[in-house]
Amino acid sequence: MKIRILGPLHAETNGVPVVPTAAKTRQVLALLALRAGQLVPVTVLREELWGPVPPRSAHNTFQTYILRLRRALAEGLGGPEGPARARQLLSTGHGGYALRVTEDDVDAFAFQRAARAGHAAFSDGDDESASRLLRQALALWRGPALVDVRAGSALRIHAAALEESRMLATERCVDAELRLGRHAELLAELVQLTERHPAHERLHAQAMVAFYRSGRQSAALGLYRRLRRGLIEELGLEPAPQLQRLHQAMLMVDPRLDTDTRGGPPTRAFDLYAA
């Protein structure tokens, strides 16, 4: 069975889609997939569906969702043994249920593995490997995590953690590629990212460096002014000291901004003027 949650929910067995259409049944499948191979207590599943105070009918209704999910799995597995194999795939344990798949079967875990390897390569100063591994990790995303699944408390936590990991992988990948001198190739991506995250200072630092190294100093300075104006209007805050020093370095045309940093310590764009 293969399950994708980094975007719209998708699941298939033997190439046959088995994603249920009912909203709460989709929640059950998503939460079980995120706990691949682990026993998930019924209490946790019920709270995901109904919150801390489930209705009186929760027990029977929940059993209906499990039955529907097993039926969908059986249809995907096919053949006369389909129902029995579905019960093995979605197994009953002591006080809970487990989806008997491995982490290799769920895209979220594949993303995390590739991202960890990319972060390690970056820390080792291997920017080529960091870029390649982090791009592989990010390519697994097809939209926001669980974008078409109604989320209760548990799924919201999982989705938020995955999105934070995605952002960190994006930042680290861009830092590696800036160190590799790919500033011009990064401009379009960074424009989109800063538009999507107008108060994200680390992304703005990266975009400023990419514009500056591409010979577009005015665009880099304009990006800083827009960020500063937004932070003051929305939060009453000035940009971080690192970003203020980066801005001053650009005004002064500091030659260190043009230095090829490969071979040096793996410094993030945001930290070029950390001290």
Side-chain angles (χ1 to χ4, degrees):
M1 184 175 186
K2 298 296 181 183
I3 305 171
R4 290 185 284 176
I5 62 173
L6 302 179
L9 179 65
H10 179 80
E12 61 183 49
T13 58
N14 299 327
V16 179
V18 294
V19 180
T21 56
K24 289 190 181 299
T25 312
R26 293 164 66 85
Q27 278 180 271
V28 173
L29 174 59
L31 187 51
L32 290 172
L34 283 164
R35 308 276 184 89
Q38 301 177 31
L39 186 72
V40 183
V42 171
T43 54
V44 173
L45 291 162
R46 286 183 188 168
E47 184 168 349
E48 167 63 28
L49 297 175
W50 292 290
V53 185
R56 291 183 178 180
S57 61
H59 176 75
N60 291 335
T61 305
F62 177 73
Q63 294 304 316
T64 300
Y65 296 149
I66 293 294
L67 179 63
R68 289 176 180 172
L69 184 52
R70 279 181 172 152
R71 190 175 296 155
L73 295 175
E75 290 175 0
L77 291 165
E81 297 181 355
R85 293 172 63 195
R87 286 192 295 273
Q88 292 175 344
L89 185 56
L90 176 51
S91 65
T92 305
H94 181 66
Y97 292 88
L99 194 61
R100 298 301 178 187
V101 295
T102 68
E103 293 186 354
D104 292 336
D105 299 319
V106 183
D107 62 353
F109 296 103
F111 161 74
Q112 291 169 339
R113 282 195 304 274
R116 283 194 298 269
H119 293 315
F122 182 86
S123 297
D124 291 340
D126 186 351
D127 296 314
E128 288 284 0
S129 294
S131 170
R132 175 176 52 80
L133 290 164
L134 290 167
R135 287 293 175 191
Q136 288 176 2
L138 293 167
L140 294 170
W141 287 76
R142 298 165 295 115
L146 300 168
V147 64
D148 60 348
V149 177
R150 180 189 300 166
S153 57
L155 283 182
R156 280 196 297 270
I157 291 170
H158 278 295
L162 284 167
E163 290 291 347
E164 186 62 30
S165 296
R166 180 189 191 184
M167 180 59 70
L168 180 58
T170 300
E171 293 172 23
R172 192 60 52 82
C173 182
V174 170
D175 277 325
E177 291 173 355
L178 284 173
R179 284 165 51 82
L180 290 166
R182 299 175 187 170
H183 36 268
E185 295 96 316
L186 287 166
L187 283 177
E189 179 181 2
L190 284 167
V191 166
Q192 290 182 346
L193 286 167
T194 52
E195 289 285 347
R196 200 177 307 145
H197 304 280
H200 198 296
E201 293 177 292
R202 292 190 298 275
L203 290 176
H204 279 73
Q206 293 174 326
M208 288 169 64
V209 170
F211 272 120
Y212 186 91
R213 290 181 179 171
S214 299
R216 299 176 61 181
Q217 181 187 25
S218 61
L221 296 174
L223 193 63
Y224 176 84
R225 288 193 298 271
R226 187 185 71 178
L227 170 68
R228 181 175 183 269
R229 183 170 58 249
L231 289 174
I232 291 173
E233 290 176 356
E234 295 294 325
L235 302 172
L237 297 174
E238 289 282 350
Q242 296 97 314
L243 207 56
Q244 294 182 44
R245 287 192 286 268
L246 178 63
H247 175 245
Q248 287 298 316
M250 290 182 174
L251 288 172
M252 297 169 62
V253 195
D254 188 334
R256 287 181 295 172
L257 281 169
D258 294 316
T259 301
D260 185 346
T261 59
R262 280 176 290 178
T267 305
R268 301 181 304 170
F270 184 70
D271 293 327
L272 287 173
Y273 293 86

